[in-house]
Amino acid sequence: MKKILVIGAVGQIGSELVPLLRTKYGNENVVAAGHSKKPTDDLANAGPFEFVNVLDKESVETVVKDHGIDTIYNLAAILSATGEQKPQLAYNVNNNGYFNILEIGREQELERIMTPSSIAAFGPETPRDNTPNETILKPTTMYGITKVTGELLGNYYFQKYGLDVRGLRYPGIISSETPPGGGTTDYSIEMYYAAVKGEHYTSFLGEGSALPMMYMPDALKAIVDLAEADISKLTHHSDFNVNAMSFAPEELATSIQKECPEFTVDYKPDFRQAIADSWPKSLDDSAARQEWNWKPGYDLKAMTKDMIEKLTPKLTGE
Ligand code: AKB
């Protein structure tokens, strides 16, 4: 029986991954762990909830031992924009925190560690269109540097210790549940919120800034499918490209305007523009498709329809 610990459970991905894993493996078998943010009642009450700090190895070790954990999903991370404002914090949480998780995995002989990487692992010298899985990894952001380190460490722990570490390079993730914090791709979610609230939106990325993006149901499917993939079929481990859709801010605005015709946008790029300019526009995810049958379900049109349907009652009470 699987016993899963999700670290970063109160964040954007964790708050939706935990209910999915609880449905799949049983409420009692999925321990949600947060750091400081208050969990929702559902997260805290439907199954076990603990507070841990990835920088305090003992706090994670205690939860692993107390609950007989065999699999960790490590979602604790400082994202790209906050990482540029607080590079030391990003280095510490993303590298030292993740190192603690890998060491616990090795010492406690855990079955599996799942951890997201990001399109931030690429940099300005990487080919930007249909970016290959194997290419130049020379990011210019601290977040990107920690993500490349994480990929290399995950592959190292697999080769050296046989620890089954798996990860995928998430694009920007869009969701209607828990807002993300501190990402460069977050403009897209802000745009949906503004449109549904009937407000004008000023995008912090400029026109033409196409980036790879993914709707949350696909992001969850990707990490769970990768976790369940037959290891004998995997050539890659911690560094899979996963593609779903790509769009620039004005293309997202046009898609939203089809559902909310009154919606207006203007563009005032800030420091996050330089981050976006260093990332790919689209990804070649043939390795994920071949090794574990990755296939996204949502394109921009389907995502916009679903986002507006979900956000409307939440933000307007209608
Ligand atoms: C960010 O914008 O920092 C994240 C990411 C692409 O990893 N959403």
Side-chain angles (χ1 to χ4, degrees):
M1 178 48 92
K2 284 225 168 313
K3 274 279 192 176
I4 299 173
L5 171 62
V6 179
I7 298 176
V10 189
Q12 187 200 12
I13 302 173
S15 63
E16 295 194 52
L17 179 64
V18 168
L20 178 79
L21 293 174
R22 283 182 171 161
T23 305
K24 224 172 156 47
Y25 300 109
N27 284 352
E28 288 312 305
N29 295 319
V30 180
V31 180
H35 174 217
S36 46
K37 214 164 124 194
K38 195 175 171 291
T40 59
D41 288 347
D42 184 46
L43 209 57
N45 302 330
F49 185 90
E50 302 276 1
F51 283 102
V52 300
N53 177 358
V54 281
L55 295 175
D56 172 10
K57 189 174 168 217
E58 226 180 282
S59 76
V60 183
E61 241 160 25
T62 305
V63 172
V64 166
K65 286 184 187 156
D66 286 355
H67 292 271
I69 297 297
D70 55 48
T71 300
I72 299 180
Y73 283 72
N74 178 43
L75 306 175
I78 302 295
L79 298 186
S80 57
T82 305
E84 285 317 282
Q85 286 160 334
K86 299 177 182 168
Q88 292 73 17
L89 177 71
Y91 181 92
N92 208 13
V93 172
N94 300 1
N95 275 351
N96 295 335
Y98 184 44
F99 183 67
N100 284 339
I101 303 303
L102 289 171
E103 278 291 274
I104 291 170
R106 179 183 69 83
E107 289 161 1
Q108 307 296 324
E109 299 182 1
L110 299 191
E111 191 182 309
R112 186 159 306 136
I113 307 286
M114 297 301 301
T115 197
S117 183
S118 162
I119 53 166
F122 303 114
E125 291 165 63
T126 309
R128 295 191 72 199
D129 292 305
N130 205 27
T131 301
N133 214 93
E134 265 62 56
T135 186
I136 302 164
L137 297 175
K138 286 171 80 179
T140 45
T141 61
M142 180 56 90
Y143 176 60
I145 292 166
T146 65
K147 288 295 161 186
V148 175
T149 311
E151 290 183 4
L152 295 173
L153 279 174
N155 290 338
Y156 180 84
Y157 271 67
F158 175 70
Q159 297 299 340
K160 186 150 181 99
Y161 302 115
L163 180 63
D164 185 358
V165 186
R166 304 184 186 185
L168 69 189
R169 293 175 179 143
Y170 272 142
I173 295 173
I174 292 165
S175 63
S176 55
E177 280 299 307
T178 308
T184 300
T185 55
D186 297 0
Y187 86 85
S188 51
I189 301 173
E190 293 176 5
M191 202 185 274
Y192 280 113
Y193 272 70
V196 170
K197 287 197 265 177
E199 293 169 0
H200 174 79
Y201 182 66
T202 298
S203 170
F204 59 74
L205 292 189
E207 288 175 272
S209 306
L211 289 170
M213 298 278 187
M214 185 179 284
Y215 197 30
M216 183 62 92
D218 279 335
L220 300 179
K221 182 167 110 66
I223 199 162
V224 171
D225 284 357
L226 175 59
E228 291 185 344
D230 177 351
I231 194 162
S232 69
K233 304 251 162 60
L234 299 184
T235 310
H236 298 83
H237 291 273
S238 288
D239 49 8
F240 283 99
N241 282 2
V242 279
N243 201 51
M245 63 185 97
S246 288
F247 55 78
E250 70 279 13
E251 291 170 306
L252 178 60
T254 304
S255 161
I256 294 174
Q257 280 156 348
K258 287 190 182 132
E259 307 285 328
C260 311
E262 313 288 290
F263 179 54
T264 55
V265 194
D266 67 354
Y267 303 90
K268 286 208 178 87
D270 67 11
F271 74 98
R272 289 167 279 197
Q273 185 65 51
I275 302 176
D277 289 344
S278 74
W279 289 353
K281 295 180 179 183
S282 60
L283 306 169
D284 173 357
D285 60 2
S286 45
R289 287 175 188 258
Q290 277 156 23
E291 293 177 41
W292 47 277
N293 296 323
W294 160 245
K295 192 167 177 285
Y298 284 84
D299 61 10
L300 176 55
K301 191 172 169 206
M303 175 175 76
T304 294
K305 194 167 174 298
D306 202 56
M307 276 293 280
I308 289 174
E309 260 170 38
K310 296 221 160 82
L311 286 178
T312 302
K314 201 164 122 172
L315 300 180
T316 68
E318 280 167 24

